[in-house]
Amino acid sequence: MSDIIHLLPDNIANQIAAGEVIQRPASAVKELLENAVDAGADEVRLLVKEAGKTLIQVSDNGKGMSEMDARMAFERHATSKIKEIDDLFQIRTMGFRGEALASIAAVAQVELKTKRKEDEAGTLIEIENSRILNQEPVAAPTGTSIAMKNLFFNVPARRNFLKSNASEMKHIIDEFIRVTMAHPEVFFSFTSNGQEVFHLEKGNLKQRIVQLLGNSYAAKLVSVQENTDYLDIFGFVGKPDLAKKTRGDQFFFVNGRFIKSPYLHHAVMQAFEALIPTDSFPMYALFIDIDPARLDINVHPTKQEIKFEDEKIVYAFVQSAVKHALAQFSVTPTLDFELDPGIQQSDAINQPLSDKDFQQAASGSLFKSFSQKNQAHFIDRSSDLKHWKDLYETGGSNPVSSGQDSFSGKLAMSAAQERFDADQLVQVNLKYIIVPLPDGFLLVHQQNAHEAVLYDQFSKTSLETPIPSQRLLFPTTIELNAADVPLFSEIILELSLLGYHIEHFGKNTFAIQGIPSDIPEGSEKAILENMLEQYKLLGNEQKISSKEKAWRSLAAQQAIKPGTRLNLREMQTLIHGLFDANLPGYTPQGRSVYRAFNNTDLEKQFGR
Ligand code: ADP
Ligand code: MG
């Protein structure tokens, strides 16, 4: 019998190793940007095509490489950053394992141009499948430019695994923001498909944050600065009204490297306690500088996790630094935090409650159930998704009767459409509608019903039959985080079918030109912003299409809220809509739309 063990060829070994380092275009972007910063560059340009799938190029004006180093750089474990194991405890640069370039060269077609200041000519290297195809002297400016083309061209399984361009682009922007935020002293530009997405002039940290996250942050940042013998903390936290329902504006850096730390996140949350609603996240960009000897570096560098020698101390410092900052700037909660303009304009808010209204409302247990959940722009959390999935994905169709009382089984709902007494609709507690039927009644939850009706209408739209839109005399603009721009762009077309005519106005700004006619003017901005937040919450649900996500999140935002008084005509429209939608039993989130009561059962309960 012959021996069966053999050594893997280098290119295969590198491909396998690459799996850990380069998972998607964004990982390559991160490695290349970090290398440029490590090389001492103060001007770095990133260029991508097709969300990095066809091209990622990073050019810097850093120290460049010698002819020999340029070749060496692509070898596995080739690094200039450590020499012996003790160096690991001193390391302050970004990379140190020498794996990035070797990995990139294993899974893409790479072209490197580099020149040191002291050299006459630069070096050009072309490499593919870990093999050098060409090396020659070349005229080049001082610095390094690396272009990687056709990522995973030789690993089709990985290439197929890549997500949509919008989604990969979002990952790239996230990484770009993380690296550039840590280096405001460096100029960065980022061009995607020929369009400059970011142009970040050198400046201070505050300017950089505003450049990255948006102008609206400028007046809302509170400086954090605490120096101790053990560690230094500096950076910014957002005032409470910058808090959002979704994550995204939370940044920790340790010695200049972005990290994720649920534990330290908790420390900041504690400092913000009582200043923001429990279901929202404060903005922060906090930099911790600590002696590298107090870190356990044996955690994989791309994993973004870190181990502190004593994390309790770090926790306490972070918490007190943030508390201190908030107190110094006497940041207090803003009272109208949870209210959106739509509800402030509604009759229920503008007209004082009559005594009768009040008693009616306060006596019921419903009054007490007016929890935070029912407030103006509560955004549904994904905890409800599972429920929803059970209902929709397994059955495919809408289970009208399941979960309802026995009544619905006995009643042919289609017949009810003609038979419900449209003149006798009654609103109860500004929250429910009673729909009398010949042999009973429905108790309809107005918000849930409206959400289900809107969802039904949205799902029936097409290019030929969009929701009618009304042109705004004064278009409203919304400014988004750069990271949200590709997501929003992805659904602009869908939104136009739903009655919102929106134009990309340049960079992060969008102009709302038209809105559905039944939306009060002035509420469109809040609706769309909240809709986007909710859309992002659905983002991880792979099985739901982006269209579907748009329908669901917009329906949730547009639905009338509890506390809205409805006149008879509005109730009629809503209930007709409900029957037109075949009386859906549930909202897309899986909440009940109505309860049915039938006379016979009711009478029995009363002993008749
Ligand atoms: P690491 O960054 O962990 O050392 P890499 O594979 O990313 O490993 O890079 C290998 C080496 O190539 C680096 O240590 C550095 O000496 C050199 N290098 C990489 N990128 C650049 C660059 N943009 N400018 C100058 N040198 C670079
Ligand atoms: Mg590196």
Side-chain angles (χ1 to χ4, degrees), residues 72 295 315 369 523 599 604:
M72 275 292 286
L295 298 175
Y315 183 101
S369 68
S523 62
N599 285 341
K604 254 189 236 151

Side-chain angles (χ1 to χ4, degrees), residues 31 35 38 81 95-96 100:
E31 296 295 340
N35 280 349
D38 279 347
K81 297 168 192 175
F96 52 83

